[in-house]
Amino acid sequence: MKYPNGIKQQNSNNNHINYDNRGMTLEKDLNDTNQYYIDTGKAYIYKKPTPIQITKVDYPSRSHAVIKEAFFKEPSTTDYNGLYKGKYIDFEAKETNSKTSFPLDNIHKHQIKHLENVYNNDGIGFIIVRFNKLNKTYILMAKDLLSFLKENERKSIPLKYFEDYAYLIEEKYIPRLDYLKIIDELLGGA
Amino acid sequence: MKYPNGIKQQNSNNNHINYDNRGMTLEKDLNDTNQYYIDTGKAYIYKKPTPIQITKVDYPSRSHAVIKEAFFKEPSTTDYNGLYKGKYIDFEAKETNSKTSFPLDNIHKHQIKHLENVYNNDGIGFIIVRFNKLNKTYILMAKDLLSFLKENERKSIPLKYFEDYAYLIEEKYIPRLDYLKIIDELLGGA
């Protein structure tokens, strides 16, 4: 069907989410949600910079440096952290197209160690995993992630483990992914 | 005086600290201190990656990306954060060669806003400032930094304000800069 004035047809079924920008979807939803938390004064959670190893820098002028060669470093921490009611919050967010399990090569060894440090120091650490094809987004607390890794040699976490031990995040219009609602419940009520 | 075998004379007065690597001194002391806190299980506080704006990336092979052009971004958060007894800790560390004041152009506007967000969300935010020439290192809590900025139009914080409102960090052998000792006192005893 053609539309006037070059307007392209949007997905006409409003129940379906458009996954054209799949890789960015979860990150965008989380950034929007975190901005909502900041704007409403609920929490202050933000994305950390990507770790880079710089190998060559030019100084074309006194005040300006141009990085001429650098590499992405293996991350030693997670993507997001911040604070909620004075508590330290820390998490990594990942998407998978698998319908049956979450491949563990998505998370680096140092990131696991980081979440273990957070857990051991009484912080609130977790991973957020979106199963794109199932349209489900879970929070798996560091404690349950670590106990899975301790007891299993598997290279992926089965969906069943998420169904049993993780918490489904309700997707809404605003905020998009209200993950702190689940943290509230785990902390014993808002 | 010449020394044999090309050995250069070290500063013979042991009370003087060698500031040859001045820019790195405070950062190194803090990294060593934070590692000590991790090793002893006291706290988990770490340095965040430097924020970079990437403008050109080459992919010479499938798995390797080489950044060919990038720029240092103005930092929107602080250098260090982490957690201590479940509490969120966040700070920026700076050195100055001034003997009389700490120039505020050392701290970006976004970093002040960040510390304000930390303070408003019940986190423990502060700046650590070393006066190199005085051999003194202070903690100034976000609350006192923000109240100075609110009440003053000055471009620097006088040393007197640190003497009155900040806390002197004792320099020791291990850990080098035991700043959590001051946080303990402020939290009402360890």
Side-chain angles (χ1 to χ4, degrees):
Chain A
M1 191 195 224
K2 287 227 174 185
Y3 282 73
N5 302 323
I7 295 167
K8 279 194 188 159
Q9 185 186 11
Q10 298 290 316
N11 191 329
S12 59
N13 183 339
N14 286 322
N15 293 323
H16 281 191
I17 290 171
N18 183 344
Y19 281 119
D20 281 357
N21 302 311
R22 198 170 290 169
M24 292 299 288
T25 312
L26 180 59
E27 180 175 333
K28 191 181 177 310
D29 285 353
L30 287 170
N31 290 345
D32 289 353
T33 300
N34 288 338
Q35 191 58 51
Y36 171 86
Y37 289 150
I38 290 172
D39 293 345
T40 56
K42 185 173 173 76
Y44 180 48
I45 296 162
Y46 55 92
K47 195 164 186 291
K48 277 179 244 175
T50 306
I52 305 280
Q53 178 72 51
I54 298 166
T55 44
K56 272 185 211 161
V57 182
D58 265 13
Y59 295 92
S61 75
R62 241 184 163 172
S63 59
H64 287 87
V66 182
I67 297 160
K68 285 297 190 183
E69 190 183 83
F71 300 89
F72 293 102
K73 276 206 288 195
E74 191 172 291
S76 62
T77 70
T78 48
D79 273 353
Y80 297 89
N81 80 341
L83 71 172
Y84 177 45
K85 296 179 176 171
K87 285 258 178 192
Y88 180 95
I89 296 268
D90 196 297
F91 65 96
E92 181 66 20
K94 292 290 179 194
E95 296 179 85
T96 178
N97 289 325
S98 164
K99 291 177 182 174
T100 54
S101 69
F102 171 64
L104 281 166
D105 54 11
N106 268 313
I107 301 194
H108 296 281
K109 212 168 54 182
H110 286 117
Q111 294 182 308
I112 304 282
K113 182 65 196 163
H114 174 80
L115 285 170
E116 193 176 354
N117 282 334
V118 168
Y119 175 68
N120 287 339
N121 285 275
D122 295 326
I124 301 169
F126 49 88
I127 58 173
I128 291 182
V129 175
R130 176 175 283 172
F131 288 87
N132 285 322
K133 303 254 163 99
L134 306 174
N135 201 18
K136 285 187 173 166
T137 308
Y138 290 98
I139 281 193
L140 182 66
M141 300 306 290
K143 177 173 171 275
D144 298 310
L145 170 66
L146 296 168
S147 89
F148 178 88
L149 294 171
K150 206 176 164 185
E151 287 160 27
N152 293 274
E153 296 286 326
R154 301 178 65 145
K155 288 181 177 165
S156 65
I157 305 177
L159 176 63
K160 181 82 173 67
Y161 192 81
F162 284 89
E163 289 169 348
D164 290 349
Y165 292 96
Y167 303 87
L168 201 57
I169 306 173
E170 187 191 354
E171 303 205 6
K172 296 189 295 189
Y173 184 59
I174 291 177
R176 199 73 193 90
L177 282 174
D178 194 4
Y179 60 90
L180 288 182
K181 196 176 165 190
I182 288 161
I183 301 302
D184 271 334
E185 286 163 16
L186 293 176
L187 290 178
Chain B
M1 191 195 223
K2 288 228 172 182
Y3 281 74
N5 303 322
I7 295 167
K8 280 192 189 162
Q9 186 185 12
Q10 298 290 315
N11 191 329
S12 59
N13 183 339
N14 286 321
N15 293 323
H16 283 191
I17 290 171
N18 183 346
Y19 281 119
D20 281 355
N21 303 311
R22 198 170 289 169
M24 292 299 288
T25 312
L26 179 59
E27 180 175 331
K28 190 181 178 310
D29 284 353
L30 286 170
N31 291 346
D32 289 353
T33 301
N34 289 338
Q35 191 57 51
Y36 171 85
Y37 289 150
I38 290 172
D39 293 345
T40 56
K42 184 173 174 76
Y44 180 47
I45 296 162
Y46 55 92
K47 196 164 186 289
K48 278 179 242 176
T50 306
I52 305 279
Q53 177 73 51
I54 298 166
T55 44
K56 274 185 209 159
V57 181
D58 265 15
Y59 294 92
S61 75
R62 242 185 162 172
S63 58
H64 287 88
V66 182
I67 297 159
K68 286 297 191 182
E69 190 183 82
F71 300 88
F72 294 101
K73 278 206 285 196
E74 193 172 289
S76 63
T77 69
T78 48
D79 272 355
Y80 298 89
N81 81 341
L83 71 172
Y84 176 46
K85 296 179 177 170
K87 286 258 179 192
Y88 180 96
I89 296 268
D90 196 298
F91 64 97
E92 181 67 20
K94 293 289 181 195
E95 297 179 84
T96 179
N97 288 324
S98 164
K99 291 177 183 174
T100 54
S101 69
F102 172 64
L104 282 166
D105 55 10
N106 268 313
I107 300 193
H108 295 281
K109 214 170 53 184
H110 287 118
Q111 294 182 308
I112 303 283
K113 181 68 197 162
H114 175 79
L115 285 170
E116 193 176 355
N117 282 333
V118 168
Y119 175 68
N120 287 338
N121 285 276
D122 295 326
I124 300 169
F126 49 87
I127 58 173
I128 290 181
V129 175
R130 176 176 283 172
F131 288 88
N132 284 323
K133 303 251 163 104
L134 306 175
N135 200 19
K136 284 188 175 167
T137 307
Y138 289 98
I139 281 194
L140 182 65
M141 299 306 289
K143 176 172 170 276
D144 298 310
L145 172 65
L146 296 168
S147 90
F148 178 88
L149 294 171
K150 207 175 163 184
E151 288 160 26
N152 294 274
E153 296 286 326
R154 301 178 64 147
K155 288 181 177 163
S156 65
I157 305 177
L159 176 64
K160 181 81 173 69
Y161 192 82
F162 285 89
E163 288 170 348
D164 289 349
Y165 292 97
Y167 303 87
L168 200 58
I169 306 173
E170 188 190 352
E171 303 204 9
K172 295 189 297 188
Y173 183 61
I174 291 175
R176 200 72 193 92
L177 282 174
D178 194 5
Y179 60 91
L180 288 181
K181 196 177 166 189
I182 288 161
I183 301 303
D184 272 333
E185 286 163 16
L186 294 176
L187 290 177

